[in-house]
């Protein structure tokens, strides 16, 4: 039996603007998805303990569905509208089937697997659950069939899977899940990823960052990315640029441990994300309260709900404000290990 895992992620800064070629700083977090895999001659038998579902598909069926999704993606890309694909994935509950079909197709595998999926990355919350699952599945299945993929190859398959879920993702989420740590992520003009580890530059532990789940987003990441893309460019572009510049400034501020500046940059980012229509009233209320005690906060990932990232030098006071507002703050490692094979327990 093979057991692989990959972490979720949190954007310290740069969500949404990263889709347009601006940089982002993304941390792999101490919450992961695990996939246990054993060979099966003809079928994919998947038990997903996160969603409490079990399914069985023939290998060919997975590959066929993945090819259908790929065709819908290409059509969606040409039409600049992925709604048909999103319906196919969401309403058809086809994400795992498509993901596995893509992996089998890319790796030229015609056999199946028994897959057991579990983990603690909350679904649809801005913590990269889909990319952690995509990367963990890729790592597990490739290892099971001795394909010896490099991290770059795993990351490329992870991105292909993310495209089915999100249309035109930046590739930042899957890169954080694959490579782990704290990364600087940016796409060049041709869409190629530039991934830099910030380990040397920011070797210390990031303290006083607190996460809080606010509310289930009403829209998926793909829908929220499309919503921003459909905004008038005169609204979108200056805000995307401002968040990009804030990411550049944040890198310097983190390097210099200038946390007063880090807070300013989180707040500046949040006003720009809000102006792009990515806030919800519940987040406005609690973020204002955090601002009132001298802290900073923003929603993460696709926003529109999900997880809030907050910072304050006085972590106790920060947690109290969040609790008093009716939420449960939590902490997690920022800069966790990327995709890995778990050693068998002795
Ligand atoms: C989603 O976690 C982050 C977004 O920037 C989309 C992406 O980068 O693909 C909203």
């Amino acid at each position: 039996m093979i057991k692989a895992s990959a972490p979720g992620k949190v954007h310290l800064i740069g969500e949404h603007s990263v889709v347009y070629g601006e940089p982002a700083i993304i941390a792999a977090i101490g919450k992961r998805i695990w996939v246990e895999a054993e060979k099966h001659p003809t079928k994919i038998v998947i038990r997903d303990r996160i969603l409490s579902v079990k399914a069985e598909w023939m290998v060919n069926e997975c590959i066929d569905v993945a090819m259908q999704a790929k065709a819908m993606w290409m059509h969606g890309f040409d039409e600049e509208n992925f709604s048909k694909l999103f319906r196919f994935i969401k309403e058809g509950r086809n994400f795992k089937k498509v993901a596995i079909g893509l992996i089998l197709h890319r790796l030229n595998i015609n056999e199946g697997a028994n897959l057991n999926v579990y983990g603690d990355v909350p679904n649809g919350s801005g913590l990269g659950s889909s990319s952690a699952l995509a990367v963990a599945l890729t790592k597990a299945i490739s290892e099971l069939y001795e394909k010896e993929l490099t991290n770059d190859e795993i990351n490329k398959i992870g991105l292909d899977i993310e495209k089915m879920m999100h249309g035109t993702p930046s590739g930042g989420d899957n890169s954080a899940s694959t490579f782990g740590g704290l990364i600087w992520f940016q796409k060049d003009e041709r869409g190629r990823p530039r991934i830099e580890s910030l380990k040397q530059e920011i070797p210390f532990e990031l303290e006083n960052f607190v996460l809080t789940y606010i509310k289930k987003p009403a829209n998926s990441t793909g829908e929220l990315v499309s919503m921003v893309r459909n905004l008038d460019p005169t609204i979108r572009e200056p805000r995307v640029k401002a968040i990009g510049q804030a990411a550049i400034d944040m890198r310097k501020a983190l390097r210099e441990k200038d946390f007063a500046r880090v807070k300013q940059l989180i707040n500046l980012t949040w006003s720009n994300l809000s102006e792009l229509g990515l806030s919800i009233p519940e987040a406005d209320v609690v973020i204002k309260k955090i601002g009132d005690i001298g802290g900073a906060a923003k929603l993460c990932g696709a926003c529109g709900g999900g997880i809030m990232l907050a910072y304050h030098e006085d972590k106790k006071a920060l947690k109290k404000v969040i609790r008093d507002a009716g939420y449960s703050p939590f902490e997690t490692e920022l800069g966790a290990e990327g995709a890995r094979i778990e050693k068998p327990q002795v």
Side-chain angles (χ1 to χ4, degrees):
M1 198 248 290
I2 294 288
K3 183 167 165 187
S5 75
K9 61 81 211 177
V10 70
H11 279 74
L12 296 193
I13 197 160
E15 49 271 273
H16 283 284
S17 53
V18 70
V19 173
Y20 303 89
E22 298 296 330
I25 301 177
I26 315 173
I29 59 170
K31 290 185 178 289
R32 310 181 74 82
I33 295 208
W34 285 270
V35 175
E36 292 171 351
E38 277 172 346
K39 288 189 182 175
H40 187 291
T42 49
K43 281 184 189 167
I44 295 294
V45 182
I46 183 161
R47 281 175 205 80
D48 181 338
R49 288 204 241 145
I50 304 167
L51 300 177
S52 303
V53 289
K54 188 180 168 206
E56 272 189 39
W57 310 299
M58 297 305 289
V59 164
N60 286 349
E61 197 186 331
C62 289
I63 296 176
D64 287 350
V65 168
M67 294 307 107
Q68 272 180 55
K70 232 178 152 170
M72 281 182 211
W73 186 88
M74 285 192 294
H75 184 74
F77 186 78
D78 289 342
E79 302 285 312
E80 294 184 15
N81 181 351
F82 291 105
S83 47
K84 194 171 164 207
L85 171 67
F86 294 160
R87 273 201 306 279
F88 181 70
I89 295 287
K90 210 167 153 179
E91 287 163 25
R93 296 173 186 271
N94 275 323
F95 179 62
K96 283 190 286 279
K97 198 172 184 180
V98 167
I100 294 164
L102 283 175
I103 296 166
L104 296 174
H105 180 71
R106 276 286 285 272
L107 301 180
N108 216 355
I109 298 170
N110 287 311
E111 289 165 72
N114 277 309
L115 300 167
N116 197 11
V117 177
Y118 54 98
D120 56 3
V121 185
N123 231 358
S125 61
L127 292 181
S129 57
S130 66
S131 60
L133 178 60
V135 170
L137 280 170
T138 308
K139 184 91 183 161
I141 296 174
S142 60
E143 193 77 17
L144 184 67
Y145 281 100
E146 292 164 26
K147 294 292 177 180
E148 292 183 18
L149 299 188
T150 63
N151 268 348
D152 280 329
E153 288 164 330
I154 289 177
N155 199 31
K156 274 198 190 121
I157 299 177
L159 176 60
D160 272 357
I161 297 172
E162 282 282 273
K163 283 183 179 169
M164 301 304 133
M165 187 77 172
H166 305 314
T168 54
S170 62
D173 294 14
N174 46 281
S175 300
S177 286
T178 304
F179 294 98
L182 184 67
I183 61 165
W184 176 259
F185 178 90
Q186 189 165 23
K187 288 191 305 183
D188 70 12
E189 331 59 67
R190 292 175 58 195
R192 288 171 307 201
R194 179 178 141 214
I195 304 156
E196 257 181 83
S197 164
L198 296 178
K199 203 175 173 166
Q200 304 289 328
E201 222 174 294
I202 304 164
F204 47 88
E205 209 178 299
L206 292 171
E207 290 169 345
N208 301 324
F209 284 95
V210 166
L211 299 178
T212 307
Y213 184 72
I214 302 292
K215 188 185 174 182
K216 185 175 162 39
N219 299 96
S220 69
T221 299
E223 288 161 349
L224 289 159
V225 168
S226 297
M227 186 274 283
V228 173
R229 195 176 284 286
N230 291 333
L231 290 173
D232 189 313
T234 60
I235 308 271
R236 188 186 61 239
E237 279 164 17
R239 290 168 179 91
V240 160
K241 280 263 162 297
I243 299 171
Q245 184 57 49
I248 295 170
D249 296 346
M250 171 88 98
R251 180 171 178 168
K252 180 168 180 285
L254 286 172
R255 193 169 55 226
E256 293 172 357
K257 295 192 176 176
D258 181 354
F259 286 98
R261 183 77 182 126
V262 166
K263 286 194 292 184
Q264 280 173 355
L265 294 165
I266 293 176
N267 285 334
L268 183 113
T269 297
W270 180 238
S271 24
N272 281 285
L273 288 170
S274 298
E275 285 162 14
L276 290 172
L278 294 163
S279 187
I280 52 167
E282 292 87 340
D284 289 338
V285 172
V286 60
I287 290 175
K288 160 101 182 43
K289 289 185 177 174
I290 292 169
D292 288 347
I293 61 153
K298 66 171 187 67
L299 292 181
C300 296
C303 306
I307 288 282
M308 172 183 78
L309 174 78
Y311 181 90
H312 199 300
E313 293 82 353
D314 185 347
K315 195 165 62 187
K316 255 181 145 177
L318 174 61
K319 285 185 166 175
K320 182 171 181 330
V321 166
I322 297 172
R323 267 195 220 101
D324 289 350
Y327 299 100
S328 307
F330 65 94
E331 289 173 69
T332 185
E333 183 186 353
L334 297 177
E337 194 183 346
R340 67 180 181 220
I341 293 297
E342 305 287 348
K343 293 198 185 62
Q345 278 172 353
V346 276

